[in-house]
Amino acid sequence: MGCRKSTCTWAQNLKVGAEYRQYTVQLVRQIGCFCEEYRIYVNGEEMEQHGLKYNPCAPLCCAGGEFEWQQDGHSFMLMYNSLSWTNFSGGFRLFIDGIDVNTGRELSAFWRRRGWQIVFAGLMCLLIGIALALTYYYALSGRESYSLDYFAYFMISAGLFDILWGLIAVIKYRKPHHPSVTVEYKSSNAV
């Protein structure tokens, strides 16, 4: 079926009752040319029924691209990160009780930060495109500037698109997604 296979693994110690228990969540992606298939494992056991579907713009638009479940009093959410710089190799994030396992940020704070990063990158592309367009217009004239103009206009368009894409995340996640939850985490790297 696929062109390649990718695996993402997260491990986190969570308090269950009076003791800590380690949870390992593994996402196996079979990436095809036009679709993806997913297998989710929690502590080595495959979840047979999950609603994770491919959606390249999740969670900013349309449904899909995320899957939530409850286990031992904790809320787990596996979500596609459409604003990732490394979508091809990763792209998925695990949130436990509304907190990103990788960064420790709350869901809304995570997406707002990602949105502002994309807005900043868009502003840089926009400024570079404007500078190039003005340089080509005033410094070069004639046939040699046409192909360079296209590159400048491409940078301007890419910048505007990134600004819009980032602002969608900032606006959509301006308020907390989950209610405030106090969760005690214990690092698995502690000595």
Side-chain angles (χ1 to χ4, degrees):
M1 181 313 253
C3 296
R4 69 182 201 90
K5 191 176 189 178
S6 172
T7 302
C8 300
T9 304
W10 299 271
Q12 188 73 45
N13 289 329
L14 299 175
K15 192 169 188 173
V16 178
E19 63 182 32
Y20 284 93
R21 197 177 296 166
Q22 184 173 32
Y23 288 85
T24 303
V25 177
Q26 187 175 48
L27 172 67
V28 178
R29 297 169 63 192
Q30 187 67 42
I31 303 169
C33 297
F34 301 106
C35 64
E36 293 188 15
E37 289 183 7
Y38 305 104
R39 293 181 121 154
I40 300 172
Y41 298 90
V42 179
N43 293 336
E45 295 182 28
E46 184 174 1
M47 298 183 83
E48 295 296 329
Q49 299 294 327
H50 63 79
L52 191 59
K53 303 282 185 230
Y54 179 70
N55 179 1
C57 71
L60 303 181
C61 60
C62 307
E66 66 182 58
F67 174 61
E68 288 188 73
W69 72 95
Q70 301 285 327
Q71 187 170 341
D72 297 330
H74 293 282
S75 170
F76 294 79
M77 180 172 29
L78 194 56
M79 177 181 280
Y80 184 70
N81 179 9
S82 60
L83 297 181
S84 174
W85 301 107
T86 59
N87 278 343
F88 189 69
S89 62
F92 278 87
R93 302 303 279 228
L94 177 66
F95 293 87
I96 300 176
D97 298 324
I99 306 294
D100 180 35
V101 172
N102 295 357
T103 63
R105 287 190 177 88
E106 191 269 333
L107 179 75
S108 295
F110 172 81
W111 283 104
R112 279 192 312 271
R113 180 180 168 97
R114 268 315 147 122
W116 284 119
Q117 289 172 343
I118 298 297
V119 166
F120 180 74
L123 284 172
M124 292 296 101
C125 286
L126 182 65
L127 291 175
I128 290 169
I130 290 171
L132 290 174
L134 291 173
T135 302
Y136 298 152
Y137 180 77
Y138 289 112
L140 301 173
S141 62
R143 292 179 163 251
E144 65 271 359
S145 72
Y146 288 132
S147 62
L148 298 174
D149 283 342
Y150 288 125
F151 179 70
Y153 295 141
F154 170 77
M155 290 295 287
I156 291 171
S157 300
L160 292 173
F161 177 78
D162 282 352
I163 291 169
L164 176 65
W165 194 242
L167 285 177
I168 290 172
V170 170
I171 292 169
K172 183 174 181 178
Y173 289 100
R174 66 182 173 266
K175 295 182 181 167
H177 181 69
H178 286 281
S180 295
V181 177
T182 303
V183 180
E184 187 177 338
Y185 290 100
K186 184 175 179 182
S187 174
S188 59
N189 297 332
V191 177

